[in-house]
Amino acid sequence: MSTPTPLLVDRDGPVARLTLNRPDMRNAFDETLIAALTTAVREAADDPAVRVLLLTGAGKAFCAGGDLNWMRRMATLTDADNRTDADRLARMLRAIWSCPKPVVAAVNGDAYAGGMGLVAACDVAIAADHAQFCLSETRLGLLPATISPYVIRAMGERAANRYFLTAERFDAAAAYRMGLLHGVVPLARLQNEADTVCRALCDNGPQAVQASKRLVRDFAGRPLDDALVADSVERIAAVRASDEAREGVSAFLEKRPPAWRAF
């Protein structure tokens, strides 16, 4: 009997749908899933036909974090092997966060530990209203180290300080208030809501979307000084002269869809 693939990859026009596919394990990470997701994100980033990545989970959970059996094996390895393994997880999260194309999370159920890292690394996150969230590492004597750069950015230092330490569960409404999520809907509407976000992204100039993503990454946290202002001037001046900008302005004035419109 063949082993089910841990990650399903499908194309829906310009949208690459990545589905974590270990439902019996609540889509928990192991080395195989980490490798598959890293590869899939990088391949989608390099595919000119892909404009948006959509990440979700099979079954009732989005992602329960690390597979405990896999983590038990890791505890028996050498320090060097543990560092290598942790680096793979860190690189997977970095691949999502740094993907030049927007990544949307459709959080279909609970997201714990590393699953919260996945949510935080995405550009847009919409969750089903029954989903629960938990930074559960300290319950196991661990800490949320590799996910922390993304989670702290997404939910803020103050909230992270509480939930990193207490490992309390919180619901989707609380995650929305903290800024981890951009929207909360009933599960029956989740796919439609995620599709709406993907369509909105594909309605816009693909190069402008990617440049806007870089803009947020590059400008967040920088002091508003002369160097930042000069950088912003250079970026808009370069974009105004692009073929995409000329097409976008012409299409608007001529009341027609731009050439890049995908839906």
Side-chain angles (χ1 to χ4, degrees):
M1 185 175 179
S2 61
T3 302
T5 179
L7 182 74
L8 303 177
V9 181
D10 300 297
R11 280 283 303 281
D12 181 9
V15 180
R17 298 179 182 271
L18 312 180
T19 304
L20 308 178
N21 189 40
R22 303 185 75 213
D24 293 343
M25 302 299 294
R26 295 173 58 80
N27 298 319
F29 298 134
D30 64 3
E31 61 270 40
T32 306
L33 179 53
I34 289 171
L37 185 53
T38 304
T39 298
V41 170
R42 289 174 175 168
E43 289 180 349
D46 291 338
D47 186 343
V50 171
R51 304 256 302 269
V52 181
L53 288 69
L54 177 61
L55 178 63
T56 193
K60 296 182 178 181
F62 176 71
C63 178
D67 183 322
L68 293 181
N69 290 318
W70 165 63
M71 292 171 67
R72 179 182 293 170
R73 293 198 306 273
M74 295 305 102
T76 67
L77 298 180
T78 65
D79 179 71
D81 287 337
N82 256 299
R83 289 175 185 273
T84 298
D85 189 75
D87 184 67
R88 293 191 189 102
L89 177 58
R91 289 180 182 276
M92 179 194 72
L93 293 168
R94 182 65 180 272
I96 295 169
W97 186 82
S98 63
C99 179
K101 299 168 183 179
V103 185
V104 177
V107 185
N108 57 296
D110 294 350
Y112 284 10
M116 277 193 61
L118 277 182
V119 176
C122 292
D123 300 291
V124 180
I126 311 295
D129 56 10
H130 73 280
Q132 296 282 310
F133 298 82
C134 184
L135 292 153
S136 54
E137 287 86 349
T138 54
R139 289 184 187 171
L140 304 175
L142 302 170
L143 72 162
T146 51
I147 68 172
S148 61
Y150 313 99
V151 175
I152 292 170
R153 281 176 169 84
M155 67 191 297
E157 180 181 352
R158 190 68 171 165
N161 201 59
R162 172 176 177 173
Y163 292 105
F164 277 22
L165 276 59
T166 66
E168 296 169 283
R169 285 189 297 176
F170 53 94
D171 62 16
Y176 175 76
R177 290 193 299 270
M178 294 175 206
L180 179 68
L181 301 175
H182 296 91
V184 178
V185 296
L187 179 61
R189 287 178 46 202
L190 179 63
Q191 190 59 61
N192 285 341
E193 189 73 15
D195 288 344
T196 296
V197 173
C198 290
R199 284 195 296 271
L201 290 164
C202 291
D203 280 347
N204 303 328
Q207 297 306 314
V209 167
Q210 294 186 36
S212 293
K213 178 170 178 173
R214 289 195 301 273
L215 190 69
V216 175
R217 296 289 188 267
D218 294 347
F219 280 19
R222 282 180 58 180
L224 209 170
D225 54 15
D226 290 345
L228 182 65
V229 171
D231 192 354
S232 70
V233 169
E234 289 297 322
R235 294 187 192 219
I236 187 58
V239 167
R240 283 175 177 169
S242 69
D243 291 341
E244 183 174 284
R246 283 194 288 269
E247 166 62 12
V249 172
S250 295
F252 180 81
L253 293 174
E254 296 164 13
K255 296 181 172 55
R256 61 173 175 81
W260 62 70
R261 186 67 58 82
F263 292 101

